[in-house]
Amino acid sequence: MKLSVIVPVYNEAQTIASVIDRILAVDLGSIEKEIIIANDGSDDGTRQAIDTGAWRQDPRLQVHESPINLGKGAAIRLGLKYASGDVILIQDADLELDPQEYGALLAPILNGGAKVVYGSRFLRRASQIALRTRVANRLLTWLTNLLYGARITDMETGYKVFRREVLAGLRLRCVQFDFEPEVTAKVLLAGHRIVEVPITYSPRRKDEGKKIRWTDGVDAVYVLIKYRMTRGA
């Protein structure tokens, strides 16, 4: 089995090297691993941090560039063009999520026949997450469950894992943070069950580089309702 780790990145010069170090350090036994960095028009030194990384010539690593900043969804779709793995995992380029949890994320696919796995920040105590963030995430997840008949706890999680054939069957149009609601809506409309596993989460503040805004939550509501009304078209 081969795992493709897609790392969408925009202006993460301070963290991208550490994230790649941590991904490479993960021991997955016999599972082959490739890392696909999708640099979304960064202009803060991220490209220099990638080019000077000790792992830059590692054959498991690919770097693909967008000439301008489009958004997380566009970066993920760029990475998907080059992913060759049987399983595809999305890894944010900050340090909020821990690659050492790949084993737990892959277990339902390897052992239980699952095709889609989400890492949930809310299956464990999440006292370090700001109240506003918890409320927003719970409302968006509640709306997802209501509209699509799901039973998940964290729709907006950054850790999403898919069997390759699941994503191959979806036509994604996302450009920015609408990747999360769009892929969730289309996975559920396609009849796939989302299995969740608990993950740890170390949130950062806006002054530390947090990019998501309250307007992205409004966009998520729109996307969820739109795809429910149009059946994913």
Side-chain angles (χ1 to χ4, degrees):
M1 178 174 286
K2 183 176 183 180
L3 172 69
S4 296
V5 181
I6 297 177
V7 185
V9 56
Y10 173 65
N11 286 359
E12 298 287 3
Q14 301 303 312
T15 59
I16 183 63
S18 294
V19 168
I20 302 304
D21 285 341
R22 294 184 185 191
I23 297 172
L24 288 169
V26 175
D27 183 2
L28 295 176
S30 62
I31 298 176
E32 185 182 354
K33 181 169 54 184
E34 70 175 1
I35 303 169
I36 301 168
I37 301 175
N39 185 16
D40 189 37
S42 296
D43 57 12
D44 72 332
T46 294
R47 181 59 204 243
Q48 291 85 343
I50 294 170
D51 287 342
T52 58
W55 28 256
R56 183 62 186 90
Q57 301 305 316
D58 191 308
R60 295 171 293 177
L61 182 76
Q62 304 176 40
V63 181
H64 300 283
E65 301 276 343
S66 170
I68 60 173
N69 174 238
L70 295 172
K72 179 180 179 179
I76 290 172
R77 289 195 290 119
L78 173 62
L80 285 171
K81 291 180 181 179
Y82 299 97
S84 61
D86 306 289
V87 177
I88 295 169
L89 183 152
I90 310 301
Q91 169 73 57
D92 288 342
D94 52 35
L95 296 174
E96 291 188 330
L97 302 173
D98 184 3
Q100 286 297 328
E101 296 188 302
Y102 285 2
L105 289 163
L106 291 170
I109 292 175
L110 298 174
N111 305 325
K115 292 187 176 182
V116 183
V117 178
Y118 283 14
S120 174
R121 297 164 291 175
F122 303 109
L123 289 176
R124 290 177 179 163
R125 186 178 180 185
S127 59
Q128 76 276 29
I129 302 177
L131 177 61
R132 181 173 62 180
T133 301
R134 291 203 306 270
V135 170
N137 276 275
R138 290 189 185 280
L139 285 174
L140 289 173
T141 300
W142 171 82
L143 182 61
T144 302
N145 291 336
L146 177 68
L147 292 175
Y148 296 92
R151 297 185 65 183
I152 59 175
T153 63
D154 192 1
M155 183 275 288
E156 287 281 354
T157 178
Y159 265 162
K160 292 180 167 69
V161 188
F162 309 90
R163 292 283 310 190
R164 181 182 185 84
E165 62 268 23
V166 172
L167 291 180
L170 305 180
R171 184 177 180 184
L172 297 175
R173 304 173 185 271
C174 51
V175 175
Q176 300 181 357
F177 288 107
D178 50 339
F179 169 77
E180 317 296 356
E182 181 184 3
V183 76
T184 303
K186 291 184 174 181
V187 159
L188 292 169
L189 286 171
H192 300 294
R193 182 172 68 94
I194 298 173
V195 175
E196 289 186 306
V197 298
I199 58 169
T200 55
Y201 178 59
S202 302
R204 61 178 178 171
R205 304 184 305 271
K206 186 175 182 180
D207 64 311
E208 295 175 316
K210 189 76 171 178
K211 297 179 179 66
I212 196 164
R213 305 160 298 174
W214 69 268
T215 53
D216 295 310
V218 176
D219 290 342
V221 171
Y222 169 75
V223 169
L224 288 169
I225 294 174
K226 178 180 75 171
Y227 286 123
R228 176 71 275 180
M229 299 290 290
T230 62
R231 296 290 300 173

